[in-house]
Amino acid sequence: MLARQRQAAILERVRAAGGVRVTELAAQFGVSDMTIRRDLEALNERGLLAKVHGGATLAGPGSTDEPGFRAKSVRQPAEKAAIADRAAQLVRPGSAIALSAGTTTAELARRLVDVPGLTVVTNSLPVAEILHVGGRPDQTVVLTGGVRTPSDALVGPLAVAAVATLHLDLLFLGVHGISERAGFTTPNLMEADTNRALVAAADRLVVLADHTKWGTVGISSIVGLDAADVLVTDDRLAPDARRVLEDRVGELVVAPGTEGAE
């Protein structure tokens, strides 16, 4: 078997199993451990897998990796529900708020359908649909224009222009990742611009992010940690992350009831 054929087979096995060991591959292909290590190094250099001690695993997502809305909606459902329940307590009847795109903000939208006199500005197609179908007649939903992303957000110059003249009480911001160094981040450059416009339009910023967002860094920073008046997360957030966030954000709110959830 040629090296390229062997490497293709190795990659297929990694994708199927999530990880492989050098010794197992050497036995499978009838070659030395050193040959397998060279194969793994070649695949690692091409960004197709990640070398680890004794083997390899799937390569982690890059800083521009942007899963679709449907794919993200099935991740951490208990955490998102708990965060949305807690965030809904911050909304008052008759207020003007914004909901950015995201699956957690969509969960929040489901909890706002009965709030009287609410005005909601959003660049999220799912959020707008939830409130259009289930919301009260005295609610107003404003959907920005823009270019549609894989996460069903509307972004770009049209979205930024639509938000620029608004004055909102609250912004509920969903984020791709949180980092002590990079702050709140997104994998989409135009979405970062749109989110910054939403931040500028709102009196208060409430970030909604489950524990898996800690340590994830998208290509573009939206704002720093200290820009958040409130960060609502779940009780599976690691203690070291809690310490950092308690020191940096205005208020850290931990939604209970998800510890031990799968």
Side-chain angles (χ1 to χ4, degrees):
M1 179 181 289
L2 298 175
R4 186 171 296 276
Q5 293 173 315
R6 188 174 57 248
Q7 290 168 14
I10 290 171
L11 185 58
E12 183 177 348
R13 179 164 174 180
V14 172
R15 287 171 174 165
V20 291
R21 297 185 62 83
V22 170
T23 52
E24 294 171 352
L25 293 174
Q28 176 183 346
F29 294 107
V31 295
S32 68
D33 288 2
M34 183 58 68
T35 297
I36 294 298
R37 289 192 180 95
R38 284 196 294 266
D39 288 336
L40 297 182
E41 182 62 36
L43 292 167
N44 180 77
E45 288 179 356
R46 292 161 59 192
L48 299 175
L49 53 70
K51 281 188 66 181
V52 297
H53 181 70
T57 63
L58 287 171
S63 61
T64 60
D65 181 70
E66 185 175 5
F69 183 89
R70 183 172 297 180
K72 291 191 292 184
S73 66
V74 298
R75 301 176 183 176
Q76 287 74 50
E79 288 87 342
K80 291 173 182 177
I83 290 168
D85 286 341
R86 186 63 182 83
Q89 298 174 25
L90 302 175
V91 179
R92 299 290 177 262
S95 57
I97 67 172
L99 272 64
S100 78
T103 52
T104 309
T105 52
E107 280 297 311
L108 174 58
R110 294 185 178 95
R111 288 151 178 80
L112 301 181
V113 293
D114 293 322
V115 179
L118 197 63
T119 296
V120 180
V121 176
T122 185
N123 68 321
S124 166
L125 293 166
V127 166
E129 182 67 12
I130 289 166
L131 293 168
H132 173 72
V133 172
R136 294 168 53 101
D138 60 355
Q139 291 181 342
T140 300
V141 180
V142 179
L143 179 64
T144 71
V147 178
R148 186 172 184 167
T149 73
S151 57
D152 286 346
L154 297 177
V155 301
L158 287 176
V160 171
V163 173
T165 59
L166 301 178
H167 304 282
L168 306 167
D169 299 311
L170 281 174
L171 164 63
F172 292 94
L173 179 68
V175 298
H176 174 77
I178 308 174
S179 161
E180 184 175 7
R181 175 186 61 83
F184 302 109
T185 64
T186 172
N188 188 298
L189 292 170
M190 287 199 297
E191 187 163 16
D193 289 337
T194 304
N195 284 341
R196 281 191 289 270
L198 288 167
V199 171
D203 288 339
R204 299 184 71 213
L205 170 60
V206 181
V207 177
L208 310 181
D210 67 72
H211 69 281
T212 65
K213 304 299 177 67
W214 178 256
T216 298
V217 179
I219 191 172
S220 183
S221 294
I222 304 167
V223 289
L225 298 181
D226 55 359
D229 296 290
V230 181
L231 170 60
V232 186
T233 187
D234 64 85
D235 56 9
R236 298 178 68 187
L237 185 69
D240 60 335
R242 290 195 193 195
R243 287 191 290 271
V244 170
L245 293 170
E246 284 172 345
D247 184 57
R248 295 287 300 278
V249 303
E251 179 184 3
L252 180 65
V253 175
V254 179
T258 64
E259 195 167 5
E262 295 297 333

